[in-house]
Amino acid sequence: MKPLENLLQKNRVWAAAVHAEDPEFFTRLADQQMPQYLWIGCSDSRVPANQITGLAPGEVFVHRNVANVVAETDFNLLAVLQYAVDVLKVRHIIVCGHYGCGGVRAALENFRHGMIDNWLSGIRALRRMHRKELDALPPAAAADRLCELNVLAQARHVAHTTIVEDAWERGQEISIHSWIYRLDNGIIQPLAPSIEKPLGFYHSDPAVDEIPDVG
Ligand code: CO
């Protein structure tokens, strides 16, 4: 048996089944993609965007990284976002985190994990910002809460990008959704109302930043 032959075999079975149900499926998709959704999620293997939302190939544009971070200096994220907004003209941007996120947990631990600590610096800053609330919780609840706070913060980062602000300015309709996925039951929960217009400059200031209580 060749390496990974099982995966290639499963791929052929899948492609044949899709073709049997809809003979035009692949030829149609080969021409163009017109997804309505951009998914920004965690790289965690247990949170696959298409599968947990029941979306088929062609229906969701996807960006994933450790702990679903939206850093305005990340060219990878910005390239994906710009293409999704300006070219694909997605209607919805979903930031989906998950409880039990290893990246978020690492940001709560007071020891070095390696290079990843640099990637997680924004989440550590969020932890400092919400220290009072987090310190009052038992460790597991604090980790869950930081997962929620992280989703809410990253969704706001999307809203503050020049790409999304400019699109709204042009009159393009885009809704940004803050979702969290629970590993132990497979359920996605929205954490806050969707963001549908510019938040305003001062919204970025931690001193005035209002985060909905989603306890
Ligand atoms: Co994660």
Side-chain angles (χ1 to χ4, degrees):
M1 197 160 153
K2 288 184 217 141
L4 305 187
E5 185 59 38
N6 53 336
L7 300 189
L8 297 171
Q9 183 55 34
K10 277 185 183 169
N11 164 255
R12 279 174 219 114
V13 170
W14 170 77
V18 172
H19 183 265
E21 188 160 311
D22 178 359
E24 308 297 322
F25 184 84
F26 292 113
T27 46
R28 205 168 52 236
L29 272 189
D31 284 342
Q32 62 172 328
Q33 58 167 340
M34 285 191 297
Q36 287 196 44
Y37 315 100
L38 166 62
W39 176 278
I40 299 173
C42 184
S43 295
D44 194 303
S45 64
R46 298 165 294 180
V47 196
N50 286 72
Q51 252 170 307
I52 65 174
T53 53
L55 291 170
E59 292 187 318
V60 58
F61 203 59
V62 174
H63 178 82
R64 290 168 69 181
N65 61 43
V66 172
N68 40 274
V69 170
V70 176
E72 291 100 324
T73 48
D74 175 4
F75 283 101
N76 185 352
L77 180 278
L78 292 175
V80 170
L81 183 64
Q82 195 257 325
Y83 191 76
V85 168
D86 293 353
V87 182
L88 297 173
K89 299 204 164 21
V90 295
R91 177 70 183 76
H92 301 276
I93 299 173
I94 299 159
V95 177
C96 187
H98 65 104
Y99 294 112
C101 183
V104 171
R105 200 182 320 124
L108 267 174
E109 291 166 344
N110 297 317
F111 56 85
R112 283 267 184 275
H113 305 81
M115 201 287 292
I116 192 75
D117 292 322
N118 298 293
W119 178 248
L120 300 172
S121 66
I123 305 180
R124 285 210 312 278
L126 200 60
R127 172 194 172 188
R128 284 193 294 276
M129 205 188 302
H130 296 275
R131 188 176 33 154
K132 253 195 218 151
E133 180 189 356
L134 295 171
D135 284 354
L137 295 169
D144 280 358
R145 183 60 182 151
L146 190 54
C147 289
E148 294 174 350
L149 292 168
N150 181 45
V151 169
L152 295 167
Q154 306 306 340
R156 290 197 305 278
H157 291 167
V158 174
H160 281 300
T161 58
T162 55
I163 296 161
V164 171
E165 283 188 344
D166 290 353
W168 275 329
E169 181 70 28
R170 291 193 300 269
Q172 198 173 326
E173 286 187 17
I174 299 171
S175 301
I176 302 166
H177 306 267
S178 309
W179 287 2
I180 195 151
Y181 175 81
R182 194 172 275 285
L183 294 172
D184 58 18
N185 65 9
I187 301 294
I188 296 171
Q189 204 69 49
L191 284 174
S194 57
I195 306 169
E196 297 176 356
K197 55 180 180 14
L199 293 170
F201 184 76
Y202 291 104
H203 196 87
S204 291
D205 187 335
V208 297
D209 226 351
E210 277 183 13
I211 293 171
D213 182 18
V214 292

